[in-house]
Amino acid sequence: MRGVLALSSSLTSLTRQSSVAQSTVRPATSHLLHRRFHPTPTQGTSPLTKSTRTTVTSSASISSMAASFYPEKARVPPALPAPTTPITKFKIGICQLSVTADKERNILHARTAIEEAAKKGAKLVLLPEIWNSPYSNDSFPVYAEDIDAGFDASPSTAMLSEIASRLNMTLIGGSIPERCGDKLYNTCCVYGPDGELKAKHRKIHLFDIDIPGKITFKESNTLTAGETPTIVDTEVGRIGIGICYDIRFQELAMLYSARGAQLICYPGAFNMTTGPLHWELLQRARAVDNQLYVATCSPARDAAAGYIAWGHSTLIGPFGEVLATTEHDEAIIISEVDYSQVDLRRTNLPLEKQRRGDLYQLVDVGRLG
């Protein structure tokens, strides 16, 4: 499904059909269009005087003014409500894992961590970005798996499917290098308690960065960008998926919120340059702007690796509060997600009712189509 953010007041005739896509692959584009808004005074009215401007506005006037903002037009089609889920309060397990060059060891190690999180009560488990392979352009082609070809061609996802079924849990399988034809992707698979693949997210925004003297990395040298925002209904709520660099693009999180997401999961591996400054900041921003939970999971830090991860896997609440986090060593975080807090914060700060549909619109092209 595709999403585009547009600032416009000329899109009111667009259709408002609504649907939630789980894993359909379609092209995606996001861009921001700006225009200046110049209201025209009503014929025959005099300009506001200073005394008029400073007059205390009555509650009725405030209500009338808010109505003129057309908040229902700020999202096209209108925002979807969050679903009613069998579980509204549950434990999440975030597994910050060490990653080596031994793929078989990485798979067994991830299995053990998932089992440990389940023993501690986790009904949803999140793994790191690129947990079965070293994070490097040289490694991606070597460790890549053909997920669609089945278990023999993809031992990493075969393990994820088997253990999700055996432990009766929802599993956000971090990400692994995926081979599809002659292309490579950075891909996250989501499995339900029945072990079935519910969604597959291919990293939309590739990590191409050049900070002289600090870090240079270009995923686009080997990887292809995904084309589909991914949101999936699970036993533990409606979840949006992003991978690492995807977190920097607020439009994607806004799209997920408008589709009724209660939680966004970002497996990621921020580095030692941007991690200290941006990792927690971006998580809290995505959570507080959209009034939902954000969970992230990084590989543990390996100072001897070619790419050194910052670590600090975290769960953020819908008020932007850090609910649980860790440092850079291996760790399993167990924390609670309570969707009543999403409702509470959206009542405390009714942003959805205060959006300025007369000035800007989030246009979800995928849902319009």
Side-chain angles (χ1 to χ4, degrees):
M1 288 296 181
R2 301 177 292 168
V4 177
L5 181 70
L7 285 173
S8 173
S9 62
S10 62
L11 299 173
T12 55
S13 64
L14 295 174
T15 177
R16 299 192 177 190
Q17 295 178 343
S18 300
S19 63
V20 175
Q22 296 184 6
S23 57
T24 305
V25 178
R26 297 173 65 181
T29 54
S30 294
H31 62 273
L32 202 59
L33 306 175
H34 298 269
R35 74 173 185 86
R36 294 190 178 277
F37 181 71
H38 298 288
T40 303
T42 303
Q43 184 71 27
T45 58
S46 60
L48 292 176
T49 64
K50 182 176 180 181
S51 60
T52 303
R53 289 196 298 268
T54 56
T55 302
V56 177
T57 307
S58 68
S59 59
S61 297
I62 293 174
S63 176
S64 175
M65 182 169 58
S68 70
F69 293 165
Y70 304 112
E72 73 283 355
K73 296 181 180 180
R75 298 189 187 274
V76 179
L80 296 173
T84 300
T85 58
I87 302 174
T88 59
K89 183 186 293 186
F90 60 91
K91 289 183 179 179
I92 183 173
I94 301 174
C95 301
Q96 182 166 293
L97 305 175
S98 65
V99 178
T100 72
D102 185 338
K103 184 176 183 179
E104 184 176 350
R105 175 265 178 201
N106 294 336
I107 294 173
L108 292 174
H109 192 55
R111 176 197 292 272
T112 300
I114 295 168
E115 290 172 337
E116 183 176 340
K119 287 178 182 177
K120 295 180 179 180
K123 296 300 293 180
L124 171 68
V125 171
L126 174 62
L127 296 184
E129 180 184 24
I130 307 294
W131 57 266
N132 71 342
S133 161
Y135 188 88
S136 73
N137 280 316
D138 290 339
S139 297
F140 295 152
V142 177
Y143 289 76
E145 300 180 6
D146 187 343
I147 297 170
D148 293 337
F151 284 13
D152 291 340
S154 184
S156 299
T157 58
M159 180 276 289
L160 297 178
S161 173
E162 183 275 327
I163 200 166
S165 176
R166 178 160 58 84
L167 298 178
N168 190 36
M169 65 162 50
T170 299
L171 185 54
I172 312 293
S175 77
I176 65 170
E178 178 196 9
R179 184 180 300 280
C180 182
D182 61 352
K183 293 181 179 180
L184 298 176
Y185 298 93
N186 186 341
T187 301
C188 174
C189 293
V190 180
Y191 291 90
D194 57 1
E196 294 297 316
L197 178 65
K198 296 182 70 70
K200 185 169 69 173
H201 178 77
R202 291 168 171 167
K203 189 173 187 176
I204 294 174
H205 305 93
L206 295 183
F207 178 58
D208 284 7
I209 183 173
D210 184 12
I211 303 177
K214 295 290 185 179
I215 182 173
T216 299
F217 198 101
K218 293 192 175 182
E219 280 187 327
S220 62
N221 285 345
T222 54
L223 301 179
T224 298
E227 297 182 334
T228 310
T230 304
I231 190 164
V232 53
D233 283 329
T234 74
E235 297 295 315
V236 289
R238 184 169 292 168
I239 301 174
I241 307 294
I243 299 175
C244 200
Y245 208 55
D246 285 341
I247 199 173
R248 288 191 177 275
F249 299 89
Q250 68 269 32
E251 296 89 346
L252 183 62
M254 293 168 65
L255 196 69
Y256 289 158
S257 177
R259 292 184 184 184
Q262 299 152 300
L263 165 68
I264 305 178
C265 290
Y266 294 98
F270 266 48
N271 56 76
M272 299 297 292
T273 299
T274 60
L277 289 172
H278 299 160
W279 182 232
E280 182 182 298
L281 172 67
L282 288 166
Q283 295 174 64
R284 297 183 69 188
R286 299 294 84 84
V288 75
D289 284 351
N290 297 289
Q291 300 176 306
L292 43 64
Y293 283 88
V294 166
T296 62
C297 188
S298 168
R301 190 180 306 171
D302 179 359
Y307 180 94
I308 304 174
W310 170 241
H312 294 265
S313 303
T314 303
L315 177 67
I316 306 291
F319 209 48
E321 69 274 36
V322 177
L323 296 175
T325 190
T326 188
E327 295 295 323
H328 60 268
D329 294 325
E330 277 206 335
I332 297 177
I333 300 171
I334 304 294
S335 191
E336 186 174 77
V337 172
D338 181 357
Y339 290 143
S340 71
Q341 291 300 304
V342 173
D343 296 334
L344 174 65
R345 296 312 180 184
R346 291 178 178 180
T347 299
N348 295 158
L349 292 171
L351 303 183
E352 195 61 37
K353 298 177 182 178
Q354 297 168 334
R355 298 190 185 280
R356 293 293 301 269
D358 56 330
L359 299 180
Y360 50 75
Q361 294 176 315
L362 173 75
V363 182
D364 189 341
V365 175
R367 288 174 59 210
L368 283 175

